Amino acid sequence: MTSVHKTARGSAPGPSAPGGGRAGAVTLPTGRRKWRSRAYLFLAPALLMYTAFVIAPWVQAVELSFYDWDGVSPGVWTGLDNYRAVLTDPQLVGSLIHALGFIGFYSVLPIAAGLLLAAVIGRGRRGGNFAFARTVLFLPQIIPLVAVGVIWRGLYAPEGLVNQALRAVGLDSWTRAWLGDFTWAYFAVGLVGSWVMLGLCLVLFQSGIQKIDTSLYEAARIDGAGAVREFFAVTLPGLRAEIAVAVTVTVIAALASFDVVFVTTDGGPGDTTTVPGVLIYRLAFTSGQVGTACALAVVLSLLISLVVLAIARLTRERA
């Protein structure tokens, strides 16, 4: 009985099979392995940059969070004291609550309004008629958030456009210094976040509507479905993936908000609009509490990661 040898280096060739091949020969995908190794080489520069500017600073922040350090003198080991402060200090806990509250402005409102506008614009595939409106709504995504904050700070000023519009329609009693009002400052800043994220949600949903099979809309209309039923039966299920992306992006923007708040109110009046980003800046560069700032940053990053993982799991289970 003739034995079959593998075609390895140094071994004898086995008997030929019909068609010119060798029976029992093991062909190693050397070309595929070479391309895979080359792919890792192409990814290496980006991975090195990400490690140097994201992972390494985060690891250093974790290390510093266990110290009482003012940024100049030698640090003193404090263990978990900074984390206890983050979870017990009213100001630090309040900033986390404010960031969670911004999810309603940065995520819920823009997604709801974006779905409504995308359904109206995309109904009957007449989206081209709304190109100008779509462009205007998307503008906040290409304008620096610092510039957005400066613009809205002027609009909310006592003599700004918002108060002028209220006076023009006879609502003088509603005029106020919006960004200096302890009751309305948080809502005023939150609405700026809604305006910023609306354009992104609209463009994302409208692109998703374009891939929905038009026969589904035709079938729904043949069955007598109106605009509302058509939206819930066809449009909403077809946008499931886009909604998941929008929720993830907007929630991260809400929890990591800094630019708009810092420029418009700097966390005031009092601490009514203070968010973790602003507080981390104050603690690290104004108060000299670098360890506490790093602990708050670590807690915030973990909170964002947990929320994003929860969103990914929920959307995956429903898909």
Side-chain angles (χ1 to χ4, degrees), residues 12-200:
S16 299
R22 282 189 286 270
V26 178
T27 304
L28 300 177
T30 55
R32 185 177 300 176
R33 291 183 179 179
K34 288 181 179 179
W35 280 109
R36 184 175 299 176
S37 61
R38 291 177 182 176
Y40 288 128
L41 290 177
F42 284 119
L43 291 174
L47 292 175
L48 289 174
M49 295 291 288
Y50 188 80
T51 301
F53 293 101
V54 177
I55 296 178
W58 189 83
V59 172
Q60 187 177 19
V62 173
E63 179 186 1
L64 293 175
S65 67
F66 296 105
Y67 288 85
D68 179 12
W69 185 46
D70 60 3
V72 179
S73 59
V76 179
W77 174 268
T78 59
L80 297 175
D81 288 351
N82 291 326
Y83 289 96
R84 293 192 188 96
V86 170
L87 299 177
T88 57
D89 185 273
Q91 186 183 34
L92 301 180
V93 174
S95 69
L96 292 171
I97 294 174
H98 291 158
L100 291 172
F102 271 157
I103 292 177
F105 292 101
Y106 278 73
S107 185
V108 178
L109 286 179
I111 289 176
L115 284 172
L116 178 61
L117 290 173
V120 172
I121 294 174
R123 184 170 172 80
R125 296 299 192 270
R126 295 188 302 271
N129 299 335
F130 297 88
F132 178 76
R134 184 171 60 246
T135 302
V136 170
L137 289 172
F138 191 73
L139 275 178
Q141 291 297 315
I142 60 177
I143 298 176
L145 289 179
V146 173
V148 170
V150 172
I151 292 170
W152 278 93
R153 188 175 61 189
L155 294 175
Y156 280 135
E159 299 300 326
L161 188 60
V162 173
N163 284 334
Q164 291 180 19
L166 291 174
R167 293 190 187 99
V169 296
L171 296 177
D172 297 59
S173 59
W174 282 76
T175 60
R176 65 195 72 239
W178 294 95
L179 298 178
D181 191 286
F182 278 82
T183 303
W184 292 101
Y186 185 81
F187 297 95
V189 175
L191 289 175
V192 177
S194 301
W195 179 74
V196 169
M197 303 308 300
L198 175 59
L200 174 64

Side-chain angles (χ1 to χ4, degrees), residues 286-302:
T286 304
S287 303
Q289 302 178 49
V290 179
T292 307
C294 290
L296 181 57
V298 171
V299 171
L300 178 62
S301 63
L302 293 177

